[in-house]
Amino acid sequence: MIRMAVVNRSGTHDDSENHDWSEDENDANHTLQGRESQRERENVRNLVAFWLFGLCNSFSYVVMLSAAHDILTTHHKGHVLPHNSSNATFVTPSSLIESSNTSRFDCNPLSTGVILLADILPAILVKCTAPCYLHYIPYGIRILICVIFGLASFLIVGLVEVVWIDIIGVVCASISSSFGEITFLSLTTFYGNNVVSTWSSGTGGAGIFGALSYAGLTSVGISPRNSVLLMIIVPVVEALSYWILLTKRPSNFTTNNDNLQIQYPDNVDGDTETLLEDSEAKRVHPLTMRVRILLLWHLMTYMAPLAAVYIAEYFINQGLIEIIYFPGIWLTHAEQYRWLQVDYQLGVFISRSSINCVKIKKIWLLAVLQYVNVAVIFLQIFFEFLPTIWILFALVFYEGLLGGGAYVNTFYRVTTEVEAEYREYCMGVTSMADSCGVAIAAAAAVPVHNKLCSL
């Protein structure tokens, strides 16, 4: 009897242990599932945040280029339209322009390349100097700088009716966009390869939504200046995306003799998803000047083709497209320019969002095809052989596809082919390629515009 009782007690004890073990296992599974669910939510938040970064950061840059035709004709011969005019330009009546235009082409007094120069030269300065000081500035301060300059650009262009001050507003947009680009591209290295795709898609979205919103608002009767003022919400969204939507932000940077040290949030440990997917990237790596120069030399493989694509692309957009005019259709010359910008940005958006579907390694091939587009546009200017504007829309859309494809594939290659320890620096430096290409295009567009308009 005693022995049986012992056996029963033992059996009862074993059942209890098994039950406790089962509960512990279930708790562990629930904990693991909870962590995986949290990771998935954080991953989605980060992907959305980087899409919004791309959208907001490039928005002011796109709007200024879309408004370039209007900005440059604001004070032609000293005439200014009222601030609240519903006319779909900043400008004087077209008859005032035509009266002084003796060219065979319908030309602005100044090339839109002037606005492009104001939009890109500050970007060149920022991107060339940023590697020397950017690592001393915490990411939060960098984002604040982008937001302040973005707000300033919209407020200046929207409120001031003096051309040279408007150009200062364009410069503010350039500083915001370029400083933001190098900042966010560097930030992508903390969150894995997928955010590069969403960032690029967001920049493409900025193109289509920026150009479309400006063209759409002016088309429904809102004045260009009021249209620009309505867009001050964009920098606010950028700030909210960083400080509220993004998870596990790098808290600080400290440097010592060019050694980059990254402080991570306290809640990041070995059991949770860290900011860097590659553990090697969490180490401190000295980037001496010699290392930086060597990296820059190797990066030319990526940078040269991208710059070549952008030279052709922006030479078309800001040097040639504004001269082409199809008279007698439902769109005025200014409206044709705006909607061609929308069309171009649509192509950019689609191609920048396609990296998970199509990957291109031979960027130089895209450059060759883009220069073919330059030749076709030149022929159209002189011979006007296109029977309808719809063919031009198709050509400009194709141009946007090539440009957006070159951009996203270049940065994707840097992300996947450059060693993790150098990736942050290389992503920032490679962003100089497109800016240099745009600057060269702008410098060429102005004299070409003047020469064509003197014919």
Side-chain angles (χ1 to χ4, degrees), residues 353-398:
S353 305
S354 66
I355 190 62
N356 292 325
C357 302
V358 180
K359 296 180 177 63
I360 302 171
K361 294 195 69 173
K362 297 180 179 179
I363 309 299
W364 60 265
L365 180 60
L366 302 181
V368 172
L369 294 174
Q370 200 71 291
Y371 282 93
V372 172
N373 286 339
V374 174
V376 173
I377 296 295
F378 254 120
L379 291 174
Q380 168 61 19
I381 289 175
F382 284 102
F383 299 105
E384 298 181 349
F385 62 93
L386 296 180
T388 172
I389 194 174
W390 293 111
I391 298 178
L392 181 61
F393 272 110
L395 185 62
V396 170
F397 176 78
Y398 170 63

mmCIF file of all heavy atoms in Angstrom, residues 353-398:
data_model
loop_
_atom_site.group_PDB
_atom_site.id
_atom_site.type_symbol
_atom_site.label_atom_id
_atom_site.label_comp_id
_atom_site.label_asym_id
_atom_site.label_seq_id
_atom_site.Cartn_x
_atom_site.Cartn_y
_atom_site.Cartn_z
ATOM 1 N N SER A 353 10.962 51.939 -58.741
ATOM 2 C CA SER A 353 10.234 50.982 -57.902
ATOM 3 C C SER A 353 10.381 49.549 -58.403
ATOM 4 O O SER A 353 9.732 48.649 -57.875
ATOM 5 C CB SER A 353 8.744 51.359 -57.871
ATOM 6 O OG SER A 353 8.561 52.692 -57.460
ATOM 7 N N SER A 354 11.245 49.323 -59.382
ATOM 8 C CA SER A 354 11.274 48.028 -60.065
ATOM 9 C C SER A 354 12.457 47.143 -59.691
ATOM 10 O O SER A 354 12.631 46.085 -60.285
ATOM 11 C CB SER A 354 11.317 48.265 -61.589
ATOM 12 O OG SER A 354 12.539 48.895 -61.959
ATOM 13 N N ILE A 355 13.262 47.545 -58.711
ATOM 14 C CA ILE A 355 14.510 46.821 -58.454
ATOM 15 C C ILE A 355 14.265 45.382 -58.026
ATOM 16 O O ILE A 355 15.078 44.494 -58.293
ATOM 17 C CB ILE A 355 15.354 47.560 -57.390
ATOM 18 C CG1 ILE A 355 16.762 46.954 -57.291
ATOM 19 C CG2 ILE A 355 14.654 47.534 -56.040
ATOM 20 C CD1 ILE A 355 17.574 47.056 -58.528
ATOM 21 N N ASN A 356 13.153 45.102 -57.378
ATOM 22 C CA ASN A 356 12.858 43.723 -56.977
ATOM 23 C C ASN A 356 12.365 42.871 -58.140
ATOM 24 O O ASN A 356 12.258 41.651 -58.020
ATOM 25 C CB ASN A 356 11.812 43.711 -55.855
ATOM 26 C CG ASN A 356 12.355 44.283 -54.557
ATOM 27 O OD1 ASN A 356 13.529 44.109 -54.231
ATOM 28 N ND2 ASN A 356 11.509 44.986 -53.818
ATOM 29 N N CYS A 357 12.060 43.509 -59.252
ATOM 30 C CA CYS A 357 11.593 42.787 -60.444
ATOM 31 C C CYS A 357 12.670 42.710 -61.520
ATOM 32 O O CYS A 357 12.841 41.673 -62.170
ATOM 33 C CB CYS A 357 10.349 43.461 -61.021
ATOM 34 S SG CYS A 357 8.969 43.587 -59.870
ATOM 35 N N VAL A 358 13.383 43.802 -61.730
ATOM 36 C CA VAL A 358 14.396 43.872 -62.791
ATOM 37 C C VAL A 358 15.675 44.456 -62.218
ATOM 38 O O VAL A 358 15.652 45.536 -61.610
ATOM 39 C CB VAL A 358 13.911 44.747 -63.970
ATOM 40 C CG1 VAL A 358 14.983 44.813 -65.056
ATOM 41 C CG2 VAL A 358 12.609 44.213 -64.538
ATOM 42 N N LYS A 359 16.772 43.772 -62.409
ATOM 43 C CA LYS A 359 18.078 44.250 -61.958
ATOM 44 C C LYS A 359 18.996 44.390 -63.168
ATOM 45 O O LYS A 359 19.104 43.486 -63.984
ATOM 46 C CB LYS A 359 18.689 43.304 -60.926
ATOM 47 C CG LYS A 359 17.887 43.216 -59.629
ATOM 48 C CD LYS A 359 18.535 42.258 -58.648
ATOM 49 C CE LYS A 359 17.770 42.233 -57.330
ATOM 50 N NZ LYS A 359 16.390 41.733 -57.482
ATOM 51 N N ILE A 360 19.658 45.546 -63.272
ATOM 52 C CA ILE A 360 20.525 45.847 -64.407
ATOM 53 C C ILE A 360 21.925 46.149 -63.892
ATOM 54 O O ILE A 360 22.101 47.048 -63.069
ATOM 55 C CB ILE A 360 19.976 47.049 -65.210
ATOM 56 C CG1 ILE A 360 18.551 46.769 -65.696
ATOM 57 C CG2 ILE A 360 20.887 47.374 -66.394
ATOM 58 C CD1 ILE A 360 17.870 47.964 -66.300
ATOM 59 N N LYS A 361 22.913 45.436 -64.371
ATOM 60 C CA LYS A 361 24.295 45.675 -63.960
ATOM 61 C C LYS A 361 25.023 46.607 -64.930
ATOM 62 O O LYS A 361 25.920 47.350 -64.535
ATOM 63 C CB LYS A 361 25.066 44.350 -63.857
ATOM 64 C CG LYS A 361 24.563 43.427 -62.752
ATOM 65 C CD LYS A 361 25.555 42.323 -62.447
ATOM 66 C CE LYS A 361 26.812 42.875 -61.796
ATOM 67 N NZ LYS A 361 27.727 41.807 -61.344
ATOM 68 N N LYS A 362 24.653 46.573 -66.207
ATOM 69 C CA LYS A 362 25.348 47.366 -67.220
ATOM 70 C C LYS A 362 24.700 48.750 -67.330
ATOM 71 O O LYS A 362 23.959 49.044 -68.268
ATOM 72 C CB LYS A 362 25.324 46.633 -68.552
ATOM 73 C CG LYS A 362 26.069 45.300 -68.509
ATOM 74 C CD LYS A 362 26.023 44.585 -69.854
ATOM 75 C CE LYS A 362 26.788 43.263 -69.788
ATOM 76 N NZ LYS A 362 26.749 42.532 -71.080
ATOM 77 N N ILE A 363 25.040 49.615 -66.368
ATOM 78 C CA ILE A 363 24.464 50.953 -66.342
ATOM 79 C C ILE A 363 24.906 51.761 -67.560
ATOM 80 O O ILE A 363 24.179 52.638 -68.042
ATOM 81 C CB ILE A 363 24.852 51.683 -65.043
ATOM 82 C CG1 ILE A 363 24.531 50.803 -63.817
ATOM 83 C CG2 ILE A 363 24.128 53.016 -64.932
ATOM 84 C CD1 ILE A 363 23.085 50.462 -63.660
ATOM 85 N N TRP A 364 26.092 51.478 -68.079
ATOM 86 C CA TRP A 364 26.590 52.222 -69.237
ATOM 87 C C TRP A 364 25.669 52.061 -70.443
ATOM 88 O O TRP A 364 25.564 52.961 -71.284
ATOM 89 C CB TRP A 364 28.003 51.771 -69.593
ATOM 90 C CG TRP A 364 28.116 50.309 -69.939
ATOM 91 C CD1 TRP A 364 28.452 49.292 -69.087
ATOM 92 C CD2 TRP A 364 27.883 49.703 -71.212
ATOM 93 N NE1 TRP A 364 28.442 48.087 -69.747
ATOM 94 C CE2 TRP A 364 28.100 48.311 -71.056
ATOM 95 C CE3 TRP A 364 27.515 50.188 -72.467
ATOM 96 C CZ2 TRP A 364 27.953 47.413 -72.113
ATOM 97 C CZ3 TRP A 364 27.379 49.295 -73.519
ATOM 98 C CH2 TRP A 364 27.596 47.921 -73.330
ATOM 99 N N LEU A 365 24.964 50.928 -70.521
ATOM 100 C CA LEU A 365 24.029 50.720 -71.622
ATOM 101 C C LEU A 365 22.871 51.710 -71.540
ATOM 102 O O LEU A 365 22.403 52.242 -72.566
ATOM 103 C CB LEU A 365 23.505 49.286 -71.592
ATOM 104 C CG LEU A 365 22.511 48.895 -72.696
ATOM 105 C CD1 LEU A 365 23.144 49.067 -74.072
ATOM 106 C CD2 LEU A 365 22.029 47.461 -72.506
ATOM 107 N N LEU A 366 22.415 51.989 -70.322
ATOM 108 C CA LEU A 366 21.358 52.977 -70.136
ATOM 109 C C LEU A 366 21.842 54.366 -70.546
ATOM 110 O O LEU A 366 21.061 55.170 -71.080
ATOM 111 C CB LEU A 366 20.902 52.987 -68.673
ATOM 112 C CG LEU A 366 20.377 51.650 -68.120
ATOM 113 C CD1 LEU A 366 19.943 51.821 -66.668
ATOM 114 C CD2 LEU A 366 19.224 51.138 -68.963
ATOM 115 N N ALA A 367 23.128 54.642 -70.306
ATOM 116 C CA ALA A 367 23.691 55.936 -70.710
ATOM 117 C C ALA A 367 23.669 56.088 -72.231
ATOM 118 O O ALA A 367 23.312 57.147 -72.760
ATOM 119 C CB ALA A 367 25.111 56.077 -70.176
ATOM 120 N N VAL A 368 24.058 55.040 -72.945
ATOM 121 C CA VAL A 368 24.048 55.081 -74.409
ATOM 122 C C VAL A 368 22.643 55.351 -74.931
ATOM 123 O O VAL A 368 22.434 56.202 -75.815
ATOM 124 C CB VAL A 368 24.607 53.759 -74.987
ATOM 125 C CG1 VAL A 368 24.409 53.720 -76.505
ATOM 126 C CG2 VAL A 368 26.081 53.605 -74.645
ATOM 127 N N LEU A 369 21.668 54.649 -74.386
ATOM 128 C CA LEU A 369 20.285 54.833 -74.824
ATOM 129 C C LEU A 369 19.778 56.247 -74.516
ATOM 130 O O LEU A 369 19.003 56.823 -75.291
ATOM 131 C CB LEU A 369 19.387 53.797 -74.146
ATOM 132 C CG LEU A 369 19.647 52.335 -74.536
ATOM 133 C CD1 LEU A 369 18.794 51.399 -73.682
ATOM 134 C CD2 LEU A 369 19.364 52.111 -76.018
ATOM 135 N N GLN A 370 20.248 56.809 -73.403
ATOM 136 C CA GLN A 370 19.809 58.166 -73.063
ATOM 137 C C GLN A 370 20.357 59.199 -74.047
ATOM 138 O O GLN A 370 19.678 60.181 -74.375
ATOM 139 C CB GLN A 370 20.247 58.503 -71.628
ATOM 140 C CG GLN A 370 19.488 59.625 -70.970
ATOM 141 C CD GLN A 370 18.064 59.261 -70.613
ATOM 142 O OE1 GLN A 370 17.216 59.082 -71.490
ATOM 143 N NE2 GLN A 370 17.789 59.141 -69.324
ATOM 144 N N TYR A 371 21.581 58.982 -74.539
ATOM 145 C CA TYR A 371 22.141 59.918 -75.517
ATOM 146 C C TYR A 371 21.469 59.783 -76.877
ATOM 147 O O TYR A 371 21.441 60.742 -77.659
ATOM 148 C CB TYR A 371 23.653 59.747 -75.615
ATOM 149 C CG TYR A 371 24.366 60.410 -74.464
ATOM 150 C CD1 TYR A 371 24.679 59.697 -73.304
ATOM 151 C CD2 TYR A 371 24.676 61.755 -74.502
ATOM 152 C CE1 TYR A 371 25.294 60.303 -72.238
ATOM 153 C CE2 TYR A 371 25.302 62.386 -73.434
ATOM 154 C CZ TYR A 371 25.606 61.654 -72.302
ATOM 155 O OH TYR A 371 26.201 62.264 -71.232
ATOM 156 N N VAL A 372 20.918 58.625 -77.156
ATOM 157 C CA VAL A 372 20.093 58.479 -78.353
ATOM 158 C C VAL A 372 18.859 59.378 -78.227
ATOM 159 O O VAL A 372 18.428 60.030 -79.201
ATOM 160 C CB VAL A 372 19.681 57.006 -78.562
ATOM 161 C CG1 VAL A 372 18.659 56.884 -79.690
ATOM 162 C CG2 VAL A 372 20.913 56.145 -78.860
ATOM 163 N N ASN A 373 18.291 59.452 -77.021
ATOM 164 C CA ASN A 373 17.155 60.337 -76.784
ATOM 165 C C ASN A 373 17.516 61.798 -77.025
ATOM 166 O O ASN A 373 16.715 62.573 -77.576
ATOM 167 C CB ASN A 373 16.638 60.171 -75.351
ATOM 168 C CG ASN A 373 15.888 58.880 -75.146
ATOM 169 O OD1 ASN A 373 15.415 58.271 -76.103
ATOM 170 N ND2 ASN A 373 15.781 58.443 -73.904
ATOM 171 N N VAL A 374 18.720 62.188 -76.597
ATOM 172 C CA VAL A 374 19.172 63.566 -76.835
ATOM 173 C C VAL A 374 19.169 63.869 -78.329
ATOM 174 O O VAL A 374 18.695 64.925 -78.770
ATOM 175 C CB VAL A 374 20.581 63.783 -76.253
ATOM 176 C CG1 VAL A 374 21.109 65.167 -76.637
ATOM 177 C CG2 VAL A 374 20.569 63.642 -74.732
ATOM 178 N N ALA A 375 19.695 62.945 -79.131
ATOM 179 C CA ALA A 375 19.756 63.146 -80.584
ATOM 180 C C ALA A 375 18.350 63.289 -81.183
ATOM 181 O O ALA A 375 18.107 64.158 -82.032
ATOM 182 C CB ALA A 375 20.506 61.982 -81.231
ATOM 183 N N VAL A 376 17.421 62.455 -80.726
ATOM 184 C CA VAL A 376 16.053 62.506 -81.260
ATOM 185 C C VAL A 376 15.386 63.836 -80.918
ATOM 186 O O VAL A 376 14.721 64.462 -81.768
ATOM 187 C CB VAL A 376 15.220 61.328 -80.720
ATOM 188 C CG1 VAL A 376 13.757 61.467 -81.128
ATOM 189 C CG2 VAL A 376 15.780 60.003 -81.222
ATOM 190 N N ILE A 377 15.569 64.310 -79.682
ATOM 191 C CA ILE A 377 14.965 65.575 -79.263
ATOM 192 C C ILE A 377 15.550 66.738 -80.061
ATOM 193 O O ILE A 377 14.836 67.668 -80.482
ATOM 194 C CB ILE A 377 15.157 65.796 -77.756
ATOM 195 C CG1 ILE A 377 14.416 64.719 -76.956
ATOM 196 C CG2 ILE A 377 14.669 67.181 -77.346
ATOM 197 C CD1 ILE A 377 12.925 64.747 -77.098
ATOM 198 N N PHE A 378 16.875 66.709 -80.297
ATOM 199 C CA PHE A 378 17.510 67.744 -81.111
ATOM 200 C C PHE A 378 16.899 67.772 -82.511
ATOM 201 O O PHE A 378 16.605 68.839 -83.068
ATOM 202 C CB PHE A 378 19.016 67.501 -81.208
ATOM 203 C CG PHE A 378 19.834 68.449 -80.378
ATOM 204 C CD1 PHE A 378 20.663 67.979 -79.366
ATOM 205 C CD2 PHE A 378 19.777 69.819 -80.605
ATOM 206 C CE1 PHE A 378 21.420 68.846 -78.604
ATOM 207 C CE2 PHE A 378 20.525 70.707 -79.841
ATOM 208 C CZ PHE A 378 21.352 70.220 -78.838
ATOM 209 N N LEU A 379 16.708 66.613 -83.107
ATOM 210 C CA LEU A 379 16.125 66.534 -84.446
ATOM 211 C C LEU A 379 14.698 67.097 -84.448
ATOM 212 O O LEU A 379 14.290 67.766 -85.403
ATOM 213 C CB LEU A 379 16.126 65.085 -84.925
ATOM 214 C CG LEU A 379 17.506 64.480 -85.240
ATOM 215 C CD1 LEU A 379 17.368 62.996 -85.570
ATOM 216 C CD2 LEU A 379 18.177 65.224 -86.391
ATOM 217 N N GLN A 380 13.952 66.825 -83.383
ATOM 218 C CA GLN A 380 12.591 67.350 -83.293
ATOM 219 C C GLN A 380 12.596 68.878 -83.238
ATOM 220 O O GLN A 380 11.745 69.541 -83.848
ATOM 221 C CB GLN A 380 11.869 66.773 -82.073
ATOM 222 C CG GLN A 380 10.564 67.445 -81.714
ATOM 223 C CD GLN A 380 9.513 67.358 -82.817
ATOM 224 O OE1 GLN A 380 9.611 66.512 -83.709
ATOM 225 N NE2 GLN A 380 8.534 68.243 -82.780
ATOM 226 N N ILE A 381 13.550 69.451 -82.508
ATOM 227 C CA ILE A 381 13.620 70.910 -82.402
ATOM 228 C C ILE A 381 13.816 71.547 -83.778
ATOM 229 O O ILE A 381 13.164 72.548 -84.121
ATOM 230 C CB ILE A 381 14.753 71.317 -81.438
ATOM 231 C CG1 ILE A 381 14.373 70.968 -79.991
ATOM 232 C CG2 ILE A 381 15.061 72.807 -81.560
ATOM 233 C CD1 ILE A 381 15.471 71.209 -78.989
ATOM 234 N N PHE A 382 14.684 70.982 -84.593
ATOM 235 C CA PHE A 382 15.025 71.596 -85.874
ATOM 236 C C PHE A 382 14.076 71.204 -87.006
ATOM 237 O O PHE A 382 13.779 72.021 -87.880
ATOM 238 C CB PHE A 382 16.465 71.244 -86.251
ATOM 239 C CG PHE A 382 17.490 72.007 -85.478
ATOM 240 C CD1 PHE A 382 18.160 71.423 -84.416
ATOM 241 C CD2 PHE A 382 17.764 73.333 -85.785
ATOM 242 C CE1 PHE A 382 19.109 72.135 -83.693
ATOM 243 C CE2 PHE A 382 18.708 74.056 -85.063
ATOM 244 C CZ PHE A 382 19.384 73.456 -84.007
ATOM 245 N N PHE A 383 13.594 69.970 -86.992
ATOM 246 C CA PHE A 383 12.819 69.489 -88.132
ATOM 247 C C PHE A 383 11.331 69.274 -87.823
ATOM 248 O O PHE A 383 10.536 69.099 -88.750
ATOM 249 C CB PHE A 383 13.427 68.182 -88.666
ATOM 250 C CG PHE A 383 14.845 68.345 -89.138
ATOM 251 C CD1 PHE A 383 15.902 67.862 -88.385
ATOM 252 C CD2 PHE A 383 15.122 68.998 -90.331
ATOM 253 C CE1 PHE A 383 17.211 68.008 -88.807
ATOM 254 C CE2 PHE A 383 16.436 69.150 -90.766
ATOM 255 C CZ PHE A 383 17.480 68.658 -89.998
ATOM 256 N N GLU A 384 10.971 69.265 -86.541
ATOM 257 C CA GLU A 384 9.572 69.132 -86.123
ATOM 258 C C GLU A 384 8.871 67.993 -86.870
ATOM 259 O O GLU A 384 7.795 68.173 -87.452
ATOM 260 C CB GLU A 384 8.838 70.462 -86.347
ATOM 261 C CG GLU A 384 9.422 71.604 -85.535
ATOM 262 C CD GLU A 384 8.675 72.914 -85.731
ATOM 263 O OE1 GLU A 384 7.830 72.979 -86.651
ATOM 264 O OE2 GLU A 384 8.937 73.866 -84.972
ATOM 265 N N PHE A 385 9.470 66.826 -86.813
ATOM 266 C CA PHE A 385 8.960 65.687 -87.575
ATOM 267 C C PHE A 385 7.924 64.869 -86.811
ATOM 268 O O PHE A 385 7.249 64.021 -87.402
ATOM 269 C CB PHE A 385 10.118 64.768 -87.998
ATOM 270 C CG PHE A 385 10.868 64.165 -86.850
ATOM 271 C CD1 PHE A 385 10.521 62.914 -86.362
ATOM 272 C CD2 PHE A 385 11.922 64.838 -86.250
ATOM 273 C CE1 PHE A 385 11.206 62.340 -85.297
ATOM 274 C CE2 PHE A 385 12.617 64.279 -85.188
ATOM 275 C CZ PHE A 385 12.257 63.029 -84.707
ATOM 276 N N LEU A 386 7.795 65.094 -85.495
ATOM 277 C CA LEU A 386 6.795 64.344 -84.732
ATOM 278 C C LEU A 386 5.410 64.887 -85.042
ATOM 279 O O LEU A 386 5.154 66.091 -84.872
ATOM 280 C CB LEU A 386 7.073 64.432 -83.231
ATOM 281 C CG LEU A 386 8.381 63.810 -82.733
ATOM 282 C CD1 LEU A 386 8.505 63.979 -81.221
ATOM 283 C CD2 LEU A 386 8.472 62.343 -83.110
ATOM 284 N N PRO A 387 4.486 64.041 -85.483
ATOM 285 C CA PRO A 387 3.172 64.532 -85.896
ATOM 286 C C PRO A 387 2.264 64.913 -84.740
ATOM 287 O O PRO A 387 1.284 65.644 -84.933
ATOM 288 C CB PRO A 387 2.588 63.346 -86.683
ATOM 289 C CG PRO A 387 3.252 62.150 -86.087
ATOM 290 C CD PRO A 387 4.639 62.591 -85.717
ATOM 291 N N THR A 388 2.534 64.390 -83.555
ATOM 292 C CA THR A 388 1.655 64.644 -82.410
ATOM 293 C C THR A 388 2.462 64.700 -81.121
ATOM 294 O O THR A 388 3.529 64.069 -81.002
ATOM 295 C CB THR A 388 0.582 63.538 -82.283
ATOM 296 O OG1 THR A 388 -0.146 63.714 -81.062
ATOM 297 C CG2 THR A 388 1.218 62.161 -82.291
ATOM 298 N N ILE A 389 1.957 65.434 -80.166
ATOM 299 C CA ILE A 389 2.640 65.559 -78.881
ATOM 300 C C ILE A 389 2.661 64.239 -78.117
ATOM 301 O O ILE A 389 3.502 64.020 -77.248
ATOM 302 C CB ILE A 389 1.991 66.669 -78.024
ATOM 303 C CG1 ILE A 389 2.908 67.047 -76.840
ATOM 304 C CG2 ILE A 389 0.619 66.239 -77.536
ATOM 305 C CD1 ILE A 389 2.409 68.231 -76.027
ATOM 306 N N TRP A 390 1.737 63.325 -78.446
ATOM 307 C CA TRP A 390 1.685 62.056 -77.731
ATOM 308 C C TRP A 390 2.958 61.240 -77.946
ATOM 309 O O TRP A 390 3.388 60.510 -77.053
ATOM 310 C CB TRP A 390 0.455 61.250 -78.162
ATOM 311 C CG TRP A 390 -0.825 61.887 -77.736
ATOM 312 C CD1 TRP A 390 -1.768 62.465 -78.536
ATOM 313 C CD2 TRP A 390 -1.295 62.042 -76.392
ATOM 314 N NE1 TRP A 390 -2.800 62.967 -77.788
ATOM 315 C CE2 TRP A 390 -2.543 62.720 -76.458
ATOM 316 C CE3 TRP A 390 -0.792 61.679 -75.144
ATOM 317 C CZ2 TRP A 390 -3.282 63.036 -75.328
ATOM 318 C CZ3 TRP A 390 -1.539 61.990 -74.009
ATOM 319 C CH2 TRP A 390 -2.757 62.658 -74.107
ATOM 320 N N ILE A 391 3.573 61.352 -79.115
ATOM 321 C CA ILE A 391 4.840 60.651 -79.348
ATOM 322 C C ILE A 391 5.931 61.247 -78.460
ATOM 323 O O ILE A 391 6.767 60.527 -77.910
ATOM 324 C CB ILE A 391 5.228 60.721 -80.836
ATOM 325 C CG1 ILE A 391 4.176 60.021 -81.692
ATOM 326 C CG2 ILE A 391 6.608 60.087 -81.056
ATOM 327 C CD1 ILE A 391 4.450 60.093 -83.182
ATOM 328 N N LEU A 392 5.903 62.562 -78.297
ATOM 329 C CA LEU A 392 6.864 63.203 -77.397
ATOM 330 C C LEU A 392 6.631 62.754 -75.959
ATOM 331 O O LEU A 392 7.590 62.510 -75.210
ATOM 332 C CB LEU A 392 6.749 64.722 -77.505
ATOM 333 C CG LEU A 392 7.722 65.533 -76.637
ATOM 334 C CD1 LEU A 392 9.167 65.232 -77.018
ATOM 335 C CD2 LEU A 392 7.438 67.025 -76.751
ATOM 336 N N PHE A 393 5.378 62.629 -75.563
ATOM 337 C CA PHE A 393 5.080 62.121 -74.221
ATOM 338 C C PHE A 393 5.663 60.714 -74.036
ATOM 339 O O PHE A 393 6.222 60.403 -72.979
ATOM 340 C CB PHE A 393 3.566 62.102 -73.983
ATOM 341 C CG PHE A 393 3.014 63.371 -73.429
ATOM 342 C CD1 PHE A 393 2.203 64.198 -74.201
ATOM 343 C CD2 PHE A 393 3.293 63.766 -72.133
ATOM 344 C CE1 PHE A 393 1.688 65.378 -73.698
ATOM 345 C CE2 PHE A 393 2.783 64.940 -71.604
ATOM 346 C CZ PHE A 393 1.974 65.755 -72.392
ATOM 347 N N ALA A 394 5.523 59.874 -75.047
ATOM 348 C CA ALA A 394 6.064 58.515 -74.958
ATOM 349 C C ALA A 394 7.584 58.532 -74.850
ATOM 350 O O ALA A 394 8.185 57.778 -74.070
ATOM 351 C CB ALA A 394 5.632 57.702 -76.184
ATOM 352 N N LEU A 395 8.232 59.419 -75.608
ATOM 353 C CA LEU A 395 9.689 59.507 -75.583
ATOM 354 C C LEU A 395 10.190 60.001 -74.231
ATOM 355 O O LEU A 395 11.177 59.485 -73.680
ATOM 356 C CB LEU A 395 10.158 60.441 -76.701
ATOM 357 C CG LEU A 395 11.669 60.567 -76.904
ATOM 358 C CD1 LEU A 395 12.267 59.222 -77.295
ATOM 359 C CD2 LEU A 395 11.974 61.622 -77.965
ATOM 360 N N VAL A 396 9.511 60.997 -73.682
ATOM 361 C CA VAL A 396 9.916 61.544 -72.385
ATOM 362 C C VAL A 396 9.671 60.523 -71.268
ATOM 363 O O VAL A 396 10.471 60.407 -70.318
ATOM 364 C CB VAL A 396 9.159 62.865 -72.106
ATOM 365 C CG1 VAL A 396 9.375 63.331 -70.673
ATOM 366 C CG2 VAL A 396 9.621 63.936 -73.084
ATOM 367 N N PHE A 397 8.592 59.766 -71.379
ATOM 368 C CA PHE A 397 8.336 58.691 -70.411
ATOM 369 C C PHE A 397 9.458 57.655 -70.446
ATOM 370 O O PHE A 397 9.951 57.210 -69.396
ATOM 371 C CB PHE A 397 7.001 58.033 -70.738
ATOM 372 C CG PHE A 397 6.668 56.847 -69.879
ATOM 373 C CD1 PHE A 397 6.201 57.014 -68.585
ATOM 374 C CD2 PHE A 397 6.833 55.553 -70.357
ATOM 375 C CE1 PHE A 397 5.896 55.923 -67.785
ATOM 376 C CE2 PHE A 397 6.534 54.453 -69.570
ATOM 377 C CZ PHE A 397 6.065 54.638 -68.272
ATOM 378 N N TYR A 398 9.881 57.292 -71.640
ATOM 379 C CA TYR A 398 10.992 56.337 -71.815
ATOM 380 C C TYR A 398 12.284 56.907 -71.235
ATOM 381 O O TYR A 398 13.064 56.192 -70.589
ATOM 382 C CB TYR A 398 11.135 56.046 -73.304
ATOM 383 C CG TYR A 398 12.378 55.280 -73.697
ATOM 384 C CD1 TYR A 398 12.614 53.988 -73.241
ATOM 385 C CD2 TYR A 398 13.310 55.854 -74.560
ATOM 386 C CE1 TYR A 398 13.743 53.290 -73.621
ATOM 387 C CE2 TYR A 398 14.440 55.166 -74.943
ATOM 388 C CZ TYR A 398 14.660 53.885 -74.479
ATOM 389 O OH TYR A 398 15.778 53.202 -74.853
#
